[in-house]
């Protein structure tokens, strides 16, 4: 009897918190860093793909290089919409359902997300196959450049469904708080894309040289393999959110739960691409040196995107789960912590480069005119990188809270400032440095307006 009593007195072991539940209780900054680092590594892989493909195409000649410049904005738009905009809507809806403890809803949302990914990919395929050539002509493509751009685009966008599926399914998994598996899948995709793109495009190892379509085929094959892997992973029950295709049923409310965030968020990357195209067009009137100098500056911005994306996308499941659980104060703390981490990291780089632009510029050119233009760009725009980092991170956090309207309007303000202000400066024949100051001012407006929208808009019911 004594032994039985002593055994009864022993308290039962405490339940082990699941990885999903821990996102509602774990310390915010360490958890953000743990979630952000895998995303940062995956984004670096994507950057290496861009560098490798540019190198391959450069070996094919000047005309292919000009052709890829025509296709790049549309390829970038596809990735930004599927991964950041609609992908954020997917992660937001799933994480909010999990935070509320409704795993059945979360699993059904994942299947609805896959349907949205299929439709998004088909939209880009049909649009670019039928109208791509017209788009490239409007951007100035002529003769052989137009032919090369069309050939590359037709191959690339025939596989747009695979690109959308990969980014959508990766967002499903990220919505559960698992950042490692999607990052590993994207890194593997990058490695495969580099290997296949070089082999097929340049004709390595005895393979026939397919040129530009061969480089695009490398991306198509790599993303198709990744889509098959992610579908298998989710269906096999190995993920934190196993899928049951047999129990699936259409529910318009679930589509709306994703699209009310993702569809509105898609306006932001569209505005970003328009901003780049408009500013590049305006700056081209100031001469080749100014355009080349801006190109060197924008290349650094491109390399900083992985930092802002990593912190932002890491905040989505933390904010979403907190909102689903009714922990609005924690959701806001996550958003501001991520914004501070992103803004400080990117801002420090911007300040250092603004103080000594040669640290970056000397890596790319020794031409005094181009270097002077790049120095001017960094002196004016570099100190405002902090607002860019903060704004992008808060854009993603707002997706987690399903309150993305404010950040999208902030992106609209940036577009209008660049378009209207740049046009006015061009007509007034103002010096080029005023355009760079305009870019910096537009970044500041974007970041501060996004922060104001998060501070002023009520989160939750």
């Amino acid at each position: 009897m004594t032994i039985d009593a002593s055994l009864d007195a022993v308290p039962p072991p405490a339940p082990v918190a699941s990885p999903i539940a821990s996102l509602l209780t774990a310390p915010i900054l360490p958890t953000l860093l743990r979630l952000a680092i895998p995303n940062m590594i995956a984004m670096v892989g994507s950057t290496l793909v861009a560098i490798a493909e540019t190198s391959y195409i450069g070996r094919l000649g000047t005309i292919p290089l000009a052709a890829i410049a025509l296709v790049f904005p549309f390829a970038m738009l596809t990735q930004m919409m599927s991964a950041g905009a609609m992908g954020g809507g997917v992660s937001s809806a799933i994480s909010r359902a999990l935070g509320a403890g409704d795993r059945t809803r979360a699993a059904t949302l994942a299947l609805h997300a896959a349907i949205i990914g299929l439709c998004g990919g088909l939209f880009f395929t049909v649009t670019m196959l039928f109208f791509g050539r017209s788009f490239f002509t409007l951007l100035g493509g002529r003769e052989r450049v137009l032919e090369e751009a069309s050939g590359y685009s037709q191959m690339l966008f025939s596989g747009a469904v695979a690109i959308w599926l990969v980014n959508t399914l990766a967002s499903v998994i990220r919505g559960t708080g698992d950042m490692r598996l999607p990052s590993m899948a994207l890194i593997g995709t990058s490695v495969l894309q580099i290997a296949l793109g070089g082999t097929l495009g340049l004709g390595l190892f005895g393979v026939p040289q397919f040129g530009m379509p061969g480089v695009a085929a490398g991306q198509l094959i790599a993303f198709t393999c990744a889509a098959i892997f992610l579908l298998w992973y989710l269906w096999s029950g190995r993920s934190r959110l196993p899928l049951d295709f047999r129990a699936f049923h259409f529910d318009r409310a679930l589509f709306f739960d994703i699209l009310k965030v993702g569809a509105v968020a898609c306006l932001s990357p569209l505005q970003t691409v328009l901003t780049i195209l408009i500013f590049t067009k305006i700056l081209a009137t100031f001469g080749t040196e100014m355009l080349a100098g801006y190109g060197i500056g924008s290349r650094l911005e491109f390399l900083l995107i992985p930092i802002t994306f990593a912190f932002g996308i890491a905040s989505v499941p933390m904010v979403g789960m907190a909102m689903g659980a009714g922990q609005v104060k924690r959701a806001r703390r996550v958003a501001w912590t991520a914004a501070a981490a992103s803004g400080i990291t990117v801002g420090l780089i911007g300040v250092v480069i603004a103080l000594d632009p040669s640290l970056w510029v000397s890596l790319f050119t020794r031409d005094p005119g181009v270097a002077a233009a790049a120095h001017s760009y960094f002196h004016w725009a570099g100190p405002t990188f902090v607002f860019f980092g903060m704004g992008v991170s808060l854009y993603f956090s707002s997706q987690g809270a399903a309150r993305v309207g404010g950040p999208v309007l902030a992106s609209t303000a940036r577009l209008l400032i660049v378009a209207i202000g740049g046009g006015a400066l061009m007509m007034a024949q103002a010096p080029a440095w005023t355009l760079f100051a305009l870019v910096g001012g537009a970044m500041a407006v974007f970041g501060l307006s996004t922060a104001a929208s998060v501070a002023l808009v009520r989160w939750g019911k």
Side-chain angles (χ1 to χ4, degrees):
M1 294 295 295
T2 305
I3 295 177
D4 292 340
S6 63
L7 289 174
D8 291 339
V10 177
V16 179
S18 70
I20 292 176
S22 67
L23 294 183
L24 293 171
T25 57
I28 292 174
L29 183 57
T31 305
L32 269 173
L33 293 174
R34 177 173 57 82
L35 297 179
I37 289 174
N39 291 319
M40 207 174 297
I41 295 172
M43 287 294 290
V44 169
S46 299
T47 303
L48 292 177
V49 168
I51 295 172
E53 287 198 343
T54 303
S55 174
Y56 298 154
I57 294 170
R59 292 179 64 180
L60 294 174
T62 303
I63 289 176
L65 273 178
I68 196 66
L70 297 178
V71 184
F72 179 74
F74 302 96
M76 183 171 67
L77 185 62
T78 305
Q79 290 284 358
M80 292 171 69
M81 279 191 171
S82 58
M86 193 63 72
V90 170
S91 295
S92 170
I94 288 175
S95 61
R96 282 184 279 113
L98 290 174
D102 194 342
R103 294 181 64 88
T104 301
R105 178 183 176 86
T108 310
L109 276 165
L111 294 171
H112 283 72
I115 294 172
I116 292 174
L118 283 170
C119 293
L122 287 173
F123 172 80
F124 269 89
T125 294
V126 172
T127 300
M128 295 306 296
L129 289 183
F130 282 94
F131 303 106
R133 190 180 184 90
S134 299
F135 293 153
F136 306 144
T137 302
L138 288 174
L139 290 175
R142 298 291 184 272
E143 299 176 350
R144 286 186 59 199
V145 172
L146 180 60
E147 294 301 325
E148 291 281 4
S150 298
Y152 179 87
S153 174
Q154 287 172 3
M155 178 62 72
L156 177 66
F157 286 101
S158 66
V161 167
I163 296 172
W164 271 78
L165 268 182
V166 166
N167 289 326
T168 300
L169 297 176
S171 298
V172 168
I173 299 171
R174 289 192 186 107
T176 69
D178 182 359
M179 302 292 170
R180 292 185 180 181
L181 192 283
S183 298
M184 290 172 59
L186 291 175
I187 291 170
T189 303
S190 298
V191 172
L192 188 58
Q193 183 177 340
I194 291 172
L196 292 176
T199 300
L200 297 174
L202 301 177
L204 304 178
F205 311 112
V207 175
Q209 181 175 339
F210 294 101
M212 292 274 285
V215 177
Q219 181 170 344
L220 188 155
I221 296 170
F223 272 87
T224 300
C225 292
I228 294 172
F229 167 74
L230 291 175
L231 280 170
W232 167 81
Y233 179 76
L234 285 165
W235 176 73
S236 66
R238 289 171 169 80
S239 72
R240 296 177 182 177
L241 189 65
L243 302 184
D244 184 1
F245 291 92
R246 294 168 297 182
F248 174 76
H249 61 280
F250 283 99
D251 189 334
R252 286 185 298 177
L254 298 185
F255 282 120
F256 178 75
D257 198 10
I258 297 172
L259 293 175
K260 71 180 181 182
V261 176
V264 177
C266 279
L267 294 174
S268 185
L270 181 61
Q271 292 168 338
T272 298
V273 171
L274 284 174
T275 301
I276 294 171
L277 291 175
I278 291 171
F279 187 73
T280 301
K281 186 73 173 179
I282 293 172
L283 198 61
T285 63
F286 285 78
T288 304
E289 290 182 344
M290 287 297 169
L291 190 59
Y294 170 68
I296 291 173
S298 61
R299 189 172 303 180
L300 178 61
E301 286 183 46
F302 180 72
L303 292 178
L304 294 179
I305 288 175
I307 298 174
T308 59
F309 179 89
F311 281 111
I313 206 69
S315 73
V316 173
M318 294 184 68
V319 171
M321 289 186 191
M323 293 297 296
Q327 300 179 16
V328 179
K329 290 184 177 179
R330 177 178 173 84
R332 286 189 171 277
R333 286 199 300 270
V334 170
W336 290 117
T337 303
S342 176
I344 290 171
T345 305
V346 173
L348 285 175
I349 296 173
V351 169
V352 169
I353 296 298
L355 294 174
D356 189 2
S358 62
L359 292 173
W360 178 255
V361 178
S362 61
L363 298 174
F364 299 96
T365 184
R366 297 186 183 277
D367 183 286
V370 175
H375 279 233
S376 177
Y377 172 80
F378 283 123
H379 284 318
W380 288 101
T384 65
F385 282 5
V386 58
F387 301 107
F388 173 73
M390 178 178 67
V392 171
S393 181
L394 287 174
Y395 160 75
F396 281 106
S397 297
S398 298
Q399 288 181 319
R403 293 291 188 271
V404 77
V408 170
L409 288 177
S411 184
T412 304
R414 181 188 179 192
L415 170 62
L416 293 176
I417 289 172
V418 170
I420 298 174
L425 291 174
M426 182 179 66
M427 292 178 63
Q429 297 183 336
W433 68 263
T434 58
L435 282 174
F436 297 147
L438 181 72
V439 169
M443 280 189 192
V445 168
F446 166 67
L448 293 174
S449 299
T450 303
S453 72
V454 173
L456 297 176
V457 173
R458 182 179 179 181
W459 284 11
K461 296 181 180 180

